[in-house]
Every structure is written in C-alpha cells, then in structure tokens.
C-alpha cells in the first residue's frame, strides 16, 4: 500500500537519504539537515495556515510504503515560485541584426535573464528511491500534488511550472555551466548547485550578466544542451507533457534544463477528475477496473492512493476497507478520483496555443 501524505518531522532521516539519492543532485532538495528541517517546518505551517491566495507556502509530501514501513519518495509544491526571492530563468529569444547598406539580415538566438516564472506555482524537489523507479509509484508521487491543487485552487497560481534537470556529460559536468556560469564563478557545477540549494539562487542572478547571451558565442556543446533534459528524467518529462504541460521558452540558469508550464485547468488530472461518494466493499468483491488516483478532502491530513476506479451503477466509488482506512473516509464520504493512466496526446490535446509560455 503506497500513500502520498504531508511530510512530518519524523521523516527527516528519509529526506536526507532521498536528497542523497537524487539523480542528479537537486538544487531544491539539498542534502543539508538544517535546510531539510526548515523545509519540514515550512510545509507544516503551510498546511495549517488559512490561505486566500498563493504566497510563500511550501507544501512538501512524502510517498510512504506502508507494507515496508518506509518513506520511498518526496515532492514539493511552491505556491508561488518567486514569493521570497525572484525565480530566475533564461528566456530564449531571437534578435534581428540588419544592415541595408551591407544587405545583411541575421536572426540571432539569445538567452535573456528573466523572472517571469516567479508568479507560477512550482512543482519541484522530486526524488524517489531507486527500487520504486519504473513503477506506478513514480506517477502517484509526481501527480498526487495535482490532486491537492485541484481541491484548493485558491492556494495556488493559475499557471503551474516544472523545471527539469539539464543535460550532463559523461563526466557529470554541465556543458552549459562550463560555457557560461564558470566564467563568473570559479566553482564547478556540482558545488554551485549545492550552494544555491543551501542559500538561494538569487545570488547567482546578482553576478550573472544582465545582458542577453548570444548563443553563437557559446560552445557547440553548450548550445546543444539548451532545453535538453537529463537522460534519467526523459520519461518524467514525457509523462508531464502527456499530462498537458508544454515546453516553454524558459530554461534553468545553471544547466539550461527545460522549464515546462501549463494553465492548470488544461491538465488531464484536472479535466478528468471527479467526485464520488465512497462505498466500502471487501477486496474480493471489488470488480476489475483501471487504476486511479484517489484523494481525500482533508488538507492537513491529505492522503492520495492508487485504487481501482470501480464505480457502482449509482456512481459510488467502491473502495476496500484498507484503502478507506488509509484515506480516513467513511462510507458516503466523497473522494476525488482521476485516472492514473493518461490519455494519448492526440485525444488529450485541448487545442490551446502555447503563446508566450
């Protein structure tokens, strides 16, 4: 039985382990005990607070394997990416250089420092223990956050964003950082990535050049890395694109990893989610059905599990006694359910223009 729930102080050792197991190491999940303790405290404050609009709340979740009695993963939602410090990215743009006298017109690709993503809610700090990778646990942990956002829209922005780790070479080096950031910080990528997690990315933006970076002046390896995800995150990116996110013009300022964005109402987990009253039945009496994410209606005691999407003729969701107990729901109580499987991209396309994302 796997369940996604809010983090508690007892989960600190597990967060330390998961931070160390993340591939590659994550800026927003540093293996630093003090920062992780702070993360837990901030999350508990966020879940307990009365919120009318998104601010500096951080909601951190863990994936608990109740059969093994262990925490298998963690993930976070920042209600507003730049509520405390501006959330900096590089925005891909095109400049035109032309001269009528020389009969020359060139379109040059550039990267401009931006904090446009600051207003979005950020899905971040995702790490899953190795033994669970490649299983349904990945989708549950990654998308259970959407089930909370769907229930409490006032707490989050209308646009959601995710930043994926960028491409690293065989030596674990970032070609983009080596071509750009290293010229301003005499530190390697791994060290600067850790420092930004322990402190804040804002100190990077204070030193990085404020004028556009002309891509032709970067190394070929750096140009090839722009908007390219780390190989270990290819499937995760593909899933979220299938969910309804779209690639944006923005990339990470460290490794140029892709930043994807979406209007939350366009996501499949929002459009296909439905409320159902619960009907409790023995496991052997449950009919076969496709798996679904099922979440309760409690904020501080939020729970989300994977269960069969088995509906009675009157629209009740049939749950086992174990699932009902984990969710903390009684018969007749309503739960939110959304199919775990994503519809294919063609049938799921809402037909909306990416525009200036």
């Amino acid at each position: 039985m796997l369940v996604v729930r809010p983090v508690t102080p007892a989960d600190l050792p597990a967060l330390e382990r998961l931070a160390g197991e993340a591939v590659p190491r994550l800026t927003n999940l540093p293996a630093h005990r003090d920062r992780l303790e702070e993360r837990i405290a901030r999350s508990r404050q966020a879940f307990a607070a009365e919120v009318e609009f998104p601010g500096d709340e951080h909601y951190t979740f863990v994936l608990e394997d109740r059969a093994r009695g262990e925490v298998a993963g963690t993930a976070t939602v920042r209600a507003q990416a730049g509520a405390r410090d501006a959330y900096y990215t590089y925005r891909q743009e095109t400049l035109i250089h032309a001269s009528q006298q020389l009969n020359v017109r060139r379109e040059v690709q550039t990267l401009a420092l931006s904090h446009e993503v600051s207003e979005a809610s950020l899905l971040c700090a995702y790490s899953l223990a190795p033994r669970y990778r490649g299983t349904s646990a990945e989708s549950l942990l990654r998308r259970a956050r959407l089930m909370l956002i769907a229930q409490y829209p006032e707490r989050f922005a209308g646009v959601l964003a995710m930043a994926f780790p960028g491409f690293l070479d065989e030596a674990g080096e970032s070609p983009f950082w080596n071509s750009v950031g290293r010229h301003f910080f005499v530190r390697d990528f791994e060290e600067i990535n850790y420092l930004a997690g322990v402190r804040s990315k804002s100190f990077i933006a204070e030193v990085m050049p404020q004028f556009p970076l002309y891509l032709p002046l970067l190394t070929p390896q750096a140009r090839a890395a722009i908007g390219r995800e780390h190989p270990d995150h290819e499937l995760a990116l593909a899933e979220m694109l299938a969910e309804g996110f779209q690639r944006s013009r923005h990339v990470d300022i460290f490794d140029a990893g892709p930043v994807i964005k979406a209007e939350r109402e366009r996501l499949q987990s929002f459009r296909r989610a439905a409320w159902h009253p619960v009907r409790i039945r023995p496991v052997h009496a449950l009919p076969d059905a496709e798996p679904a994410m099922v979440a309760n209606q409690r904020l501080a005691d939020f729970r989300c599990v994977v269960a069969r999407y088995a509906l009675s003729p009157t629209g009740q969701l049939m749950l086992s006694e174990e699932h009902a107990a984990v969710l903390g729901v009684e018969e007749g109580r309503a739960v939110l359910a959304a199919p775990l499987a994503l519809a294919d991209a063609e049938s799921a396309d809402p037909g909306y223009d990416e525009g200036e994302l």
Side-chain angles (χ1 to χ4, degrees):
M1 170 72 73
L2 299 176
V3 57
V4 174
R5 58 167 175 79
V7 70
T8 69
D11 299 319
L12 178 59
L15 290 192
E16 290 183 290
R17 171 176 51 82
L18 291 165
E21 292 175 344
V23 180
R25 296 296 177 90
L26 302 177
T27 303
N28 48 37
L29 188 64
H32 188 285
R33 190 177 185 87
D34 290 345
R35 295 289 79 76
L36 294 175
E37 286 182 333
E38 178 185 345
R39 177 182 298 269
I40 293 172
R42 293 186 67 181
S43 178
R44 290 169 64 80
Q45 291 171 3
F47 276 104
E50 295 288 337
V51 174
E52 297 181 358
F53 51 87
D56 194 27
E57 298 84 29
H58 289 206
Y59 303 86
T60 296
F61 304 84
V62 294
L63 175 70
E64 180 183 357
D65 186 334
R66 294 172 63 88
R68 290 180 176 270
E70 67 176 12
V71 170
T74 184
T76 295
V77 183
R78 292 167 59 178
Q80 190 177 62
R84 177 177 294 185
D85 298 311
Y87 184 83
Y88 286 96
T89 61
Y90 274 126
R91 178 183 170 96
Q92 301 179 75
E93 299 180 348
T94 301
L95 295 181
I96 297 176
H97 291 256
S99 171
Q100 292 183 349
Q101 293 182 348
L102 298 178
N103 193 27
V104 172
R105 185 184 186 278
R106 292 290 305 276
E107 293 186 358
V108 182
Q109 303 301 311
T110 66
L111 293 176
L113 204 59
S114 169
H115 48 75
E116 295 174 24
V117 182
S118 294
E119 298 300 315
S121 290
L122 188 70
L123 281 67
C124 60
Y126 177 99
S127 180
L128 186 67
R131 71 158 58 98
Y132 297 89
R133 295 170 189 167
T135 71
S136 61
E138 284 191 314
S139 291
L140 175 61
L141 177 59
R142 188 174 294 118
R143 294 167 54 212
R145 294 172 289 184
L146 302 178
M147 300 292 279
L148 181 82
I149 296 172
Q151 294 190 52
Y152 301 95
E154 72 280 0
R155 290 176 172 264
F156 303 95
V159 173
L160 307 181
M162 295 181 70
F164 282 85
F167 175 78
L168 303 181
D169 61 23
E170 295 179 355
E173 295 285 334
S174 166
F176 183 80
W177 175 259
N178 288 340
S179 185
V180 179
R182 184 180 288 276
H183 294 292
F184 302 90
F185 298 87
V186 189
R187 289 180 170 88
D188 60 26
F189 172 75
E190 185 174 345
E191 182 182 2
I192 206 71
N193 202 36
Y194 175 77
L195 287 175
V198 173
R199 299 176 186 175
S200 165
K201 276 192 177 182
S202 62
F203 79 89
I204 297 294
E206 292 167 0
V207 179
M208 294 289 273
Q210 302 296 310
F211 46 83
L213 300 177
Y214 283 68
L215 266 58
L217 301 181
L218 305 184
T219 65
Q221 294 84 354
R223 294 198 300 271
I226 295 173
R228 183 178 175 186
E229 70 276 10
H230 188 281
D232 286 355
H233 291 258
E234 289 177 356
L235 294 179
L237 176 58
E239 178 182 43
M240 299 315 287
L241 292 176
E243 171 72 65
F245 282 86
Q246 293 191 339
R247 290 181 181 269
S248 72
R249 299 174 185 266
H250 299 268
V251 296
D252 185 80
I253 61 174
F254 286 167
D255 56 21
V259 175
I260 61 175
K261 298 173 70 177
E263 295 178 11
R264 64 189 185 195
E265 289 79 10
R266 304 283 187 172
L267 299 178
Q268 288 200 44
S269 292
F270 286 75
R271 295 187 293 113
R272 302 173 69 197
W275 290 99
H276 301 281
V278 169
R279 186 176 182 181
I280 300 175
R281 288 292 179 268
V283 174
H284 66 270
L286 295 177
D288 289 334
E290 294 298 317
M293 296 182 293
V294 181
N296 63 11
Q297 297 185 61
R298 302 178 180 178
L299 177 61
D301 294 320
F302 175 81
R303 300 289 186 273
C304 187
V305 301
V306 173
R308 300 178 193 177
Y309 209 155
L311 297 179
S312 71
T314 56
Q316 295 171 305
L317 181 65
M318 291 181 277
L319 291 178
S320 68
E321 293 179 353
E322 183 182 13
H323 276 126
V326 170
L327 291 169
V329 296
E330 301 173 349
E331 190 155 300
R333 178 72 66 177
V335 292
L336 185 66
L340 184 65
L342 293 166
D344 61 84
E346 182 175 347
S347 63
D349 183 8
Y352 101 105
D353 186 5
E354 177 187 5
E356 291 301 310
L357 290 181

